[in-house]
Amino acid sequence: MRFLLSAFMLLSAVLPGQAVETAALERGTAITDPLALRELGQGRFGIDGMLLPERSSNIPLANGEVFHLPSMVPVRSAIDREFDRYIANHRQSLPNETIGVGEGFAFQLFDRAQLDSADTRFVLAGIVNRIDRAYVDEASCGEIRLIYRLTRTKPASGDTTAPSRLPMTLNLVLKAKGGPGIDRRGKAITCSEIAKRWLTAGELSLTGAALASKLLDEGGPLDLFGYQNIDRIETNIQIAHAPKSAARDFRTDYLLKVFRYDAAAREFREAPMENQIDRDRILADDGLRREFKTWLLDPKHLAEFDSGTVLIPEKFLANGAVAATPVGFENSGLQPEFGLMQGEGANSVFAETDVVFALKKAAADGMKLQNIRSVGGFERRLNDVTCSGCHQTRGIGGFHFPGVDWMAEKTVQFNGRAGIAAFLRRPGSPPRHPHRSAGWQASGLFAGIFQPPASARQHRVDGNRI
């Protein structure tokens, strides 16, 4: 799951003066036009249309029914278990700080009653193109993500403001190419064709229903997929918030989960989170600890770990994570992999000498690591390669996407081409993941489409690639 807002800014437009190679990487990365999203969300890309496609469009899924669908019952059960575990851990570790729903508690829990309320709904807040993730599964040509935000449909009791968003997102991840992999005319679809459709959409100057229609038309990027492409659900819930007080600084905890779709059972099932190293389980098992160290320090895996394309085996991964924020770079138990390095606990996995030896061996073998050049760099990567570590530091992970709120009284309109926004940096800066774009080129999946500038490979901050 590399898989959601601090490090990325959605800026107003694709920069007109950029080189063709850079523009090709930046156009068509996200659909953000509020009125187009409203049209799409009220049609086949509404959460009911995706999760219950056999239901008549004339009988929309009532608010509060999502987690009562047979396919979603396991999702709700797993979330409830995580809440119970979080509350129990809190009471054991912080017995003097109260926890519960409402402002009267030191730690204010997310109100799970909102998941069943008739006054909330999941609103389509954005569609993100992640074909950069083709390295995970080349046959799927990457992913398309439908991002839904839990939102009140009317003000809360006693509140005179407009309906507000609630701190939960549900990310429905689709394979960019799924099923038979053909278009309406029966022609095989290639990864390059999918990429071209998104780039072409990035040049449109439409909005609202006209844009939605164009995106869905034959030849449009959204024509190629629907509920048949569903791979998994990713959830992100602000499980608790602790305002600054005499006892503590401000803190907010986020619960991250992944549920993979089981087509045979027709339900979403709890699954290991991509690269979310299960620190506690590894530290408690001598055999697993030795096996993990051997696997990660293998030269091939170390190179992938350095480049950010590593896929850690599921036997080492956790099924959920709580990301505490804010967390700085100083070592602490709030970091997901604290305890794995020597000096952080009695049962650490990696000694400094283990890492130094692996780095020297890599250099002797002619391997040119770009990011991990010291024990400190290795330790940093242990954290930021995980879902929760990325969420905390925005080190290397996926797009942290705010989305738009078309239910608000005043909706901010991004002024990019057709609301097909790009996650841009300052003018002239290279792509955020040049190592991944180079991987696309090497794979041949997107031949002739993406050609990142060579200078991108040299852009770093403190030894870590932007």
Side-chain angles (χ1 to χ4, degrees), residues 370-390:
Q370 300 296 309
N371 299 292
I372 303 173
R373 300 179 177 180
S374 66
V375 174
F378 181 86
E379 183 176 12
R380 175 75 62 82
R381 188 62 117 206
L382 278 173
N383 282 300
D384 68 20
V385 78
T386 66
C387 299
S388 54
C390 167

Side-chain angles (χ1 to χ4, degrees), residues 44 47-57 227-228 230 266:
R44 84 183 208 212
I47 198 165
D48 50 348
M50 295 300 295
L51 297 181
L52 201 64
E54 65 272 18
R55 190 184 185 111
S56 170
S57 59
Y227 68 90
Q228 304 93 334
I230 292 176
R266 300 185 68 182

Side-chain angles (χ1 to χ4, degrees), residues 209-334:
L211 172 59
S213 178
K214 194 68 174 178
L215 296 172
L216 292 168
D217 278 350
E218 183 176 4
L222 302 187
D223 175 50
L224 296 174
F225 60 87
Y227 68 90
Q228 304 93 334
N229 295 59
I230 292 176
D231 180 65
R232 65 189 183 276
I233 280 175
E234 300 170 350
T235 59
N236 183 349
I237 303 173
Q238 187 188 100
I239 191 170
H241 166 68
K244 182 177 176 61
S245 68
R248 70 163 48 258
D249 289 330
F250 167 92
R251 175 174 156 186
T252 303
D253 290 350
Y254 295 85
L255 171 64
L256 312 177
K257 296 285 292 180
V258 171
F259 304 89
R260 197 165 296 281
Y261 186 63
D262 185 327
R266 300 185 68 182
E267 66 181 22
F268 291 93
R269 293 184 172 177
E270 193 175 19
M273 298 171 63
E274 188 175 295
N275 290 345
Q276 183 65 40
I277 303 167
D278 194 337
R279 172 187 66 183
D280 295 340
R281 190 163 55 85
I282 290 174
L283 292 178
D285 187 320
D286 290 341
L288 198 62
R289 189 162 61 245
R290 289 192 297 270
E291 188 178 0
F292 179 58
K293 178 171 73 172
T294 300
W295 186 90
L296 189 57
L297 294 182
D298 175 89
K300 176 180 182 294
H301 301 146
L302 183 63
E304 294 169 342
F305 188 56
D306 172 77
S307 70
T309 59
V310 70
L311 293 173
I312 299 172
E314 291 187 352
K315 68 172 108 176
F316 303 123
L317 305 181
N319 284 354
V322 173
T325 59
V327 173
F329 292 118
E330 184 176 352
N331 293 340
S332 80
L334 295 179

Side-chain angles (χ1 to χ4, degrees), residues 14-314:
V14 175
L15 300 175
Q18 297 301 301
V20 173
E21 309 89 55
T22 305
L25 284 167
E26 295 180 334
R27 294 203 317 270
T29 56
I31 298 171
T32 62
D33 180 80
L35 300 180
L37 288 169
R38 182 177 65 185
E39 294 293 323
L40 295 169
Q42 292 176 344
R44 84 183 208 212
F45 291 110
I47 198 165
D48 50 348
M50 295 300 295
L51 297 181
L52 201 64
E54 65 272 18
R55 190 184 185 111
S56 170
S57 59
N58 295 325
I59 311 175
L61 190 68
N63 295 344
E65 290 184 6
V66 169
F67 288 98
H68 295 283
L69 295 175
S71 64
M72 293 292 288
V73 168
V75 177
R76 178 58 189 272
S77 297
I79 289 174
D80 286 341
R81 288 194 300 272
E82 293 287 358
F83 267 76
D84 293 342
R85 186 179 299 116
Y86 179 87
I87 293 169
N89 289 341
H90 175 90
R91 287 174 175 165
Q92 181 177 7
S93 60
L94 298 170
N96 297 323
E97 297 192 46
T98 59
I99 184 169
V101 176
E103 295 182 357
F105 295 91
F107 273 68
Q108 299 164 16
L109 285 172
F110 175 84
D111 185 2
R112 281 174 283 172
Q114 300 288 358
L115 300 180
D116 305 312
S117 172
D119 297 329
T120 62
R121 62 175 293 188
F122 282 98
V123 174
L124 183 63
I127 300 177
V128 176
N129 168 9
R130 291 301 309 271
I131 59 174
D132 63 312
R133 283 181 51 81
Y135 70 90
V136 177
D137 177 15
E138 291 188 0
S140 71
C141 300
E143 300 168 351
I144 305 299
R145 302 186 174 201
L146 308 181
I147 300 178
Y148 301 90
R149 186 69 179 260
L150 188 62
T151 304
R152 289 192 180 96
T153 55
K154 64 181 182 180
S157 178
D159 188 355
T160 59
T161 61
S164 61
R165 289 173 156 192
L166 296 168
M168 177 180 181
T169 55
L170 187 152
N171 184 7
L172 193 57
V173 182
L174 313 178
K175 296 178 181 179
K177 184 175 75 172
I182 58 176
D183 62 16
R184 295 187 190 186
R185 301 176 186 271
K187 179 183 176 182
I189 290 290
T190 65
C191 296
S192 292
E193 170 63 20
I194 292 172
K196 287 177 182 177
R197 291 188 180 206
W198 281 92
L199 294 175
T200 299
E203 299 291 349
L204 297 173
S205 57
L206 303 172
T207 187
L211 172 59
S213 178
K214 194 68 174 178
L215 296 172
L216 292 168
D217 278 350
E218 183 176 4
L222 302 187
D223 175 50
L224 296 174
F225 60 87
Y227 68 90
Q228 304 93 334
N229 295 59
I230 292 176
D231 180 65
R232 65 189 183 276
I233 280 175
E234 300 170 350
T235 59
N236 183 349
I237 303 173
Q238 187 188 100
I239 191 170
H241 166 68
K244 182 177 176 61
S245 68
R248 70 163 48 258
D249 289 330
F250 167 92
R251 175 174 156 186
T252 303
D253 290 350
Y254 295 85
L255 171 64
L256 312 177
K257 296 285 292 180
V258 171
F259 304 89
R260 197 165 296 281
Y261 186 63
D262 185 327
R266 300 185 68 182
E267 66 181 22
F268 291 93
R269 293 184 172 177
E270 193 175 19
M273 298 171 63
E274 188 175 295
N275 290 345
Q276 183 65 40
I277 303 167
D278 194 337
R279 172 187 66 183
D280 295 340
R281 190 163 55 85
I282 290 174
L283 292 178
D285 187 320
D286 290 341
L288 198 62
R289 189 162 61 245
R290 289 192 297 270
E291 188 178 0
F292 179 58
K293 178 171 73 172
T294 300
W295 186 90
L296 189 57
L297 294 182
D298 175 89
K300 176 180 182 294
H301 301 146
L302 183 63
E304 294 169 342
F305 188 56
D306 172 77
S307 70
T309 59
V310 70
L311 293 173
I312 299 172
E314 291 187 352

Side-chain angles (χ1 to χ4, degrees), residues 2-21:
R2 295 169 199 181
F3 111 43
L4 288 165
L5 135 93
S6 309
F8 292 101
M9 294 293 289
L10 243 88
L11 300 185
S12 60
V14 175
L15 300 175
Q18 297 301 301
V20 173
E21 309 89 55

